[in-house]
Amino acid sequence: MSYSTRRTFLQQVSALGLLYGVQHGAQRAFAMQMHSKMPMPNAPGHSVPMLHSLELTPFVDPLPLPEPVHAVSGKLRIAMREIHAKVHRDVPPTRMWSYGTTALAPLIEARKGHPLQVEWVNNLPTQHFLPIDHSLHGCGHDIPDVRAVVHVHGARVPSKDDGYPEDWFISGQSRTCHYPLEQEAAALWYHDHAMGLNRLNTYAGLFGMFLIRDQVEDALHLPSGEYEVPLILYDRDFTTDGQLFYDTSGDPDHPWVPEFSADGILINGKIRPFLTVEPRLYRFRIVNVANSRFFRLSLSNQQPLVQIGTDQGLLSSPVEIQPLTLAPAERADILIDFSHSAGQILHLRTGAMDILQFRVEKQSLSGPAHSVPKVLRSIQRTPESAATTTRTITLNEYQDQIGTPMVMLLNRKHWHEPVTETPKLNSTEIWEFVNLTEDTHPMHMHLVRFQILDRRSFDTFDYLMYKKLRFTAAATPPAANESGWKDTVQCPKGVITRVLIRFEGYSGKYLYHCHILEHEANDMMRPFEVIA
């Protein structure tokens, strides 16, 4: 059977297999037809003049660096607010939301075993400036348009402090969360997680980086201070007057779109900035905070990136990689040695696009340079036999009659349906994500870290048609740079991705979801409950 025939069949199965939302199918089909004819889908009847970011002069703005904040007596107070900031020298100031006074939220630095208390304050306006889809679960017209709750992505915390999507609070209110920080050194990040709204709140600018340190990391004497550089990557669309533009379907009653890649690539709040570096070793802490975009990173001189860490901390040893693919929410701890590029200009690129310019000085201005450690951290691989339960999670996409996605589900269930995954505290389980869609989904689990077991391709047609699992290739182990501890895993289409998880720390209700934020909002997110 040809690919096109199989794809048609999968679309038909999806359309026939779901009743939810069918009443809006004709409206969506008409909206998509209109969308193909209109330059700007969320401005029916007239065009919105758009900024073409690639036409801007690149590498004219220095790379901003986030301001580190350290807790006083173990406490911080961080407020969300509306700001106006310039994303490029030649673009007017952009309205956005932030956890700080600039487009870059404060960089929270903390240490393992030193608990932290953060009061998150909502000082946002009462009206949203991006298009809300009130038909999404948790976004009804009876709910305040502006609401927020903060999730520290990758933190092992009690359920009440995790930023559960339904625990949102409105402007004028605050929420105090406690972070025990009983976990290894890692680059975490924090972002909004309000039910049905976090795709817009994150797009508006509510995200920041959170670094945990420990003695193992200290002993490696890695580049630090000005030689350790956070890189927060994302994409945005702008109108010609510099304002954020978030795409819609064109249907005012159902403006949700399944995903998108925007025109402008930003790093630390600037479109294609530059960074002056010395000819020595640097450490870059990279996080992809984009709604949907995957970044495929490499250097313009073909020099490999040296990866020393991933989502949940250090790898056991360095890995040379070129290119590095980062899905939304994934992190990478990277070393780049500029010592052989004195006086040169290099670029970090995604695909064929240069997104960050490195201006390498002719000589180093400081003391002895660092070297790449051969051994980083001891990581024990959990044996597969330690698992007492295997759970199968299907990744489903349902489409209308013209193939437009209507809703994304996990195990064909919506968020509001009863909990079906109830692991026991301190138990070990295998979760296998069975991807029946045409997308790669970055699956994230709250509370836990996990190890990737393997990936194996299978025949999705046989699975859907005959309920038969027929593998089409041998299982492949994780790549070397995925062999450490993870909290977000790329699940390719037509592949079963297996992860091994120990449910440590706390009992209570948490969640797992796709970290393409448009998928998560509609409705690729499910609760799970850890039972004591």
Side-chain angles (χ1 to χ4, degrees):
M1 179 175 289
S2 70
Y3 172 82
S4 59
T5 304
R6 290 160 62 90
R7 175 66 169 158
T8 300
F9 172 80
L10 294 177
Q11 291 175 348
Q12 291 172 343
V13 168
S14 297
L16 292 172
L18 187 74
L19 294 178
Y20 175 88
V22 169
Q23 62 184 353
H24 302 303
Q27 291 174 299
R28 288 177 181 270
F30 175 76
M32 291 307 295
Q33 290 170 347
M34 291 298 293
H35 172 68
S36 66
K37 300 174 183 177
M38 294 192 309
M40 292 301 123
N42 65 349
H46 67 279
S47 298
V48 175
M50 295 298 292
L51 176 72
H52 300 292
S53 298
L54 287 176
E55 296 177 2
L56 296 170
T57 304
F59 316 124
V60 295
D61 292 295
L63 176 77
L65 297 176
E67 187 71 27
V69 292
H70 302 276
V72 177
S73 301
K75 297 180 180 181
L76 286 175
R77 187 177 190 270
I78 296 179
M80 313 166 213
R81 71 200 79 189
E82 183 168 285
I83 64 165
H84 290 79
K86 286 181 69 68
V87 298
H88 187 276
R89 180 195 66 185
D90 302 327
V91 177
T94 302
R95 175 173 59 174
M96 58 184 74
W97 292 352
S98 177
Y99 291 107
T101 57
T102 71
L104 266 182
L107 171 65
I108 300 175
E109 290 199 66
R111 290 197 66 84
K112 176 183 178 180
H114 293 251
L116 179 64
Q117 175 181 301
V118 182
E119 181 187 5
W120 303 103
V121 182
N122 186 345
N123 285 338
L124 297 169
T126 56
Q127 297 297 315
H128 217 297
F129 67 97
L130 296 174
I132 297 173
D133 188 332
H134 292 286
S135 71
L136 296 179
H137 179 73
C139 276
H141 288 283
D142 58 333
I143 297 173
D145 280 354
V146 175
R147 54 196 187 278
V149 64
V150 182
H151 169 57
V152 177
H153 184 119
R156 186 191 303 167
V157 297
S159 178
K160 64 181 178 61
D161 301 309
D162 186 51
Y164 200 70
E166 296 173 346
D167 290 345
W168 48 262
F169 50 101
I170 62 174
S171 182
Q173 297 181 347
S174 68
R175 176 73 50 82
T176 299
C177 296
H178 304 266
Y179 303 98
L181 301 183
E182 292 295 340
Q183 56 191 110
E184 295 174 354
L188 312 183
W189 64 293
Y190 57 99
H191 62 88
D192 182 75
H193 219 308
M195 190 75 203
L197 204 61
N198 71 318
R199 66 194 175 102
L200 302 182
N201 290 351
T202 301
Y203 194 84
L206 293 181
F207 50 79
M209 188 171 279
F210 189 128
L211 297 179
I212 302 177
R213 311 288 191 183
D214 69 8
Q215 292 182 343
V216 174
E217 180 191 51
D218 296 342
L220 294 172
H221 302 292
L222 294 165
S224 59
E226 62 185 302
Y227 306 111
E228 181 184 26
V229 182
L231 297 180
I232 303 174
L233 278 56
Y234 52 104
D235 59 343
R236 296 291 183 268
D237 277 332
F238 300 92
T239 56
T240 51
D241 62 353
Q243 300 314 300
L244 285 171
F245 179 92
Y246 184 90
D247 206 359
T248 73
S249 68
D251 179 350
D253 294 326
H254 310 284
W256 174 84
V257 291
E259 65 260 340
F260 66 94
S261 291
D263 176 72
I265 304 295
L266 290 86
I267 303 181
N268 292 4
K270 292 291 185 180
I271 297 174
R272 304 173 76 192
F274 71 87
L275 176 66
T276 301
V277 297
E278 298 176 29
R280 56 177 292 158
L281 193 69
Y282 277 74
R283 183 183 187 186
F284 293 93
R285 313 302 294 271
I286 307 176
V287 55
N288 179 358
V289 306
N291 283 37
S292 305
R293 182 187 285 269
F294 288 60
F295 288 92
R296 188 173 173 84
L297 302 174
S298 63
L299 291 173
S300 57
N301 66 350
Q302 304 304 310
Q303 175 181 334
L305 301 169
V306 178
Q307 186 168 352
I308 61 171
T310 185
D311 302 340
Q312 284 286 318
L314 294 167
L315 295 166
S316 58
S317 58
V319 176
E320 288 193 355
I321 187 167
Q322 176 106 324
L324 167 66
T325 300
L326 275 187
E330 285 190 303
R331 283 87 74 206
D333 196 345
I334 297 293
L335 298 179
I336 300 178
D337 188 356
F338 297 103
S339 62
H340 301 294
S341 304
Q344 299 180 25
I345 289 179
L346 307 179
H347 293 94
L348 180 69
R349 55 179 44 163
T350 180
M353 182 191 298
D354 294 337
I355 58 175
L356 173 62
Q357 184 182 79
F358 296 114
R359 301 177 180 178
V360 188
E361 296 181 327
K362 292 183 178 180
Q363 60 184 12
S364 182
L365 304 177
S366 55
H370 297 81
S371 59
V372 180
K374 293 182 178 179
V375 177
L376 298 167
R377 183 189 286 277
S378 176
I379 297 177
Q380 297 294 323
R381 294 291 299 179
T382 306
E384 190 173 335
S385 59
T388 57
T389 301
T390 296
R391 300 185 191 272
T392 300
I393 312 294
T394 60
L395 282 52
N396 309 97
E397 176 184 300
Y398 298 94
Q399 302 164 335
D400 64 19
Q401 56 266 48
I402 63 169
T404 304
M406 296 188 300
V407 68
M408 312 280 190
L409 297 182
L410 298 169
N411 271 349
R412 301 171 65 90
K413 293 186 180 299
H414 295 274
W415 165 262
H416 62 268
E417 296 184 64
V419 173
T420 50
E421 285 73 50
T422 55
K424 293 182 179 179
L425 186 63
N426 296 320
S427 68
T428 301
E429 297 189 352
I430 293 171
W431 284 34
E432 50 185 29
F433 296 105
V434 181
N435 191 348
L436 299 170
T437 79
E438 291 296 312
D439 297 316
T440 295
H441 298 275
M443 294 302 300
H444 169 53
M445 299 187 68
H446 288 218
L447 174 69
V448 297
R449 63 179 186 173
F450 53 74
Q451 293 176 340
I452 302 172
L453 282 176
D454 53 39
R455 295 182 177 93
R456 193 171 186 183
S457 59
F458 69 103
D459 191 304
T460 54
F461 180 83
D462 281 359
Y463 192 95
L464 287 167
M465 184 68 175
Y466 306 113
K467 307 300 181 185
K468 174 185 174 184
L469 179 58
R470 182 172 69 84
F471 293 110
T472 57
T476 58
N481 70 317
E482 292 184 310
S483 61
W485 291 104
K486 297 277 290 172
D487 57 47
T488 306
V489 59
Q490 296 182 34
C491 299
K493 66 178 183 178
V495 169
I496 295 178
T497 302
R498 299 196 307 153
V499 298
L500 193 64
I501 314 156
R502 183 167 176 79
F503 291 87
E504 298 177 301
Y506 307 95
S507 59
K509 190 176 285 189
Y510 296 89
L511 58 148
Y512 66 101
H513 58 87
C514 175
H515 223 288
I516 293 176
L517 299 186
E518 284 67 35
H519 294 183
E520 170 189 338
N522 186 30
D523 205 19
M524 212 171 201
M525 182 169 71
R526 286 283 296 154
F528 70 88
E529 187 167 2
V530 180
I531 306 299

